[in-house]
Amino acid sequence: MTASEENSRLPKHVAIIMDGNNRFAKKNQMQKGDGHREGKTVLDPIVEHCRKRNIQALTVFAFSSENWNRPQYEVDLLMKLLEDTIHEQLPRMQKFNIALRFIGDRSRLSPELQALMLQAEQRTANFNSMTLTIAISYGGMWDMAQAAKQIAADVLTNKLDLEAIDTDVFGQYVSLSDLPPVDLLIRTGGDFRLSNFLLWQAAYAELYFTETLWPEFTVEEFDDALAVFGGRERRFGKTSEQILQERLEN
C-alpha cells in the first residue's frame, strides 16, 4: 500500500469521549480526583501521534453540559485541571504547530478561565499542522440550539433568506463548521452511547467503543481504532456496488 493509499484510509477528524477516570481511580484505590489527574497525562501522546499520522483534527470531550451536575469538588477539580492543561499545552502547541481551540457554553466558566481560553486560541490561531479542540461545558443539543438561534437572528435581520436554509447552511452555524466532519468517534470506558457529544458533526462517524478506561488508553490502542476504521466501508447512503465503482473510476 502506498503512502497516499494509507492516508486515504485514515480519518481526517477524530473525536474522543475520554471516559473512565473515576473508575480507574476506584480500581486502583486512589484518592478522589486522582483518576482525572492520571487521565490528563494520556492526551499528550495521543495528540502527538495524531500529528504524526497526518490527522487534521482531534476533538476531545473534557466536560459536558451535564457534568455541571457532578459534586462541586469534582467540578472545581476539573476546572483547575483544564486551566493547568492550557498552560501546559501552549508551549507544546507552539512546538508542534498545532492550533488549540475550545467549544462549549463559556458563560458558565469563570472570567479568568474564559480569558485564558481566548488567549490560547489567539496565540495558536495561525498554527496549521493540526487542530486540537477541547469541548468544555459542551453538549450537542446545546450546539444545535445555538445554531438555530443564530440562524433565526440572521433571518430576522435579513442576513439570511428563510428559503435558503438547508443542511449545508445549518452546518455552517454549528461548532467546528470549518473543520472536516468527524470520521471516527472513540469512546473509552465501556459505555455504548454518544452522551450528547458532537451530534451534528458526527452524524456519519464510525464508532469505536472500548472497555479500556481513559487513563489506560494507549497510542497502540489508538492505532487499533484507526485500523478498524480503515477496514470499514463508508457508504453514506450508497450501495457497496456504487462505492466500488467510484473507487475504480478514481
Side-chain angles (χ1 to χ4, degrees):
M1 184 184 296
T2 66
S4 61
E5 288 174 330
E6 183 179 356
N7 284 336
S8 70
R9 293 178 176 270
L10 287 173
K12 295 178 181 178
H13 189 168
V14 177
I16 305 179
I17 300 174
M18 306 179 294
D19 198 19
N21 292 322
N22 282 334
R23 280 170 286 162
F24 174 82
K26 290 177 182 176
K27 185 178 81 168
N28 291 282
Q29 298 181 324
M30 301 168 74
Q31 297 295 316
K32 288 182 179 179
D34 283 350
H36 293 297
R37 295 185 183 92
E38 290 289 326
K40 185 168 76 71
T41 66
V42 174
L43 185 58
D44 288 348
I46 299 296
V47 172
E48 291 182 28
H49 194 64
C50 283
R51 183 178 174 277
K52 289 177 183 176
R53 298 299 301 268
N54 296 314
I55 292 169
Q56 295 178 23
L58 173 66
T59 302
V60 296
F61 208 7
F63 190 88
S64 74
S65 303
E66 292 74 29
N67 285 155
W68 289 108
N69 297 318
R70 292 202 171 190
Q72 190 60 47
Y73 78 87
E74 186 173 354
V75 171
D76 292 342
L77 172 64
L78 289 168
M79 292 299 112
K80 179 63 169 64
L81 290 177
L82 176 63
E83 181 181 333
D84 293 343
T85 296
I86 296 172
H87 284 298
E88 292 167 6
Q89 288 299 332
L90 273 174
R92 296 171 56 79
M93 299 298 100
Q94 187 165 1
K95 177 181 177 181
F96 294 109
N97 195 34
I98 298 172
L100 179 60
R101 293 165 59 173
F102 304 90
I103 55 173
D105 181 5
R106 302 190 189 195
S107 67
R108 300 190 68 175
L109 305 175
S110 71
E112 295 79 14
L113 184 53
Q114 291 184 50
L116 183 62
M117 292 161 63
L118 181 60
Q119 180 190 43
E121 289 176 322
Q122 291 172 340
R123 286 177 56 181
T124 64
N126 295 324
F127 297 163
N128 56 19
S129 73
M130 178 184 155
T131 299
L132 169 63
T133 303
I134 299 177
I136 179 78
S137 188
Y138 175 85
M141 290 185 287
W142 167 88
D143 196 353
M144 288 188 282
Q146 291 299 304
K149 185 177 179 180
Q150 186 59 54
I151 288 172
D154 284 353
V155 170
L156 287 173
T157 54
N158 297 316
K159 293 179 181 177
L160 180 66
D161 182 71
L162 181 65
E163 297 305 317
I165 301 171
D166 57 15
T167 54
D168 290 334
V169 170
F170 192 93
Q172 296 170 17
Y173 284 80
V174 297
S175 301
L176 309 181
S177 59
D178 60 324
L179 295 179
V182 176
D183 297 305
L184 171 64
L185 191 150
I186 299 169
R187 179 172 188 144
T188 64
D191 286 330
F192 297 85
R193 53 178 175 266
L194 298 181
S195 293
N196 196 20
F197 185 43
L198 298 177
L199 300 179
W200 181 274
Q201 298 86 339
Y204 272 97
E206 297 297 321
L207 307 180
Y208 178 91
F209 298 103
T210 174
E211 297 285 336
T212 303
L213 304 176
W214 174 247
E216 299 172 326
F217 191 71
T218 63
V219 166
E220 289 73 23
E221 184 164 4
F222 184 81
D223 273 339
D224 289 343
L226 295 183
V228 169
F229 173 86
R232 291 185 183 173
E233 181 182 72
R234 307 187 75 204
R235 295 190 295 275
F236 298 99
K238 299 178 182 179
T239 66
S240 296
E241 290 75 17
Q242 286 175 297
I243 299 300
L244 178 59
Q245 184 61 36
E246 289 176 0
R247 286 177 182 165
L248 293 173
E249 292 173 355
N250 292 328

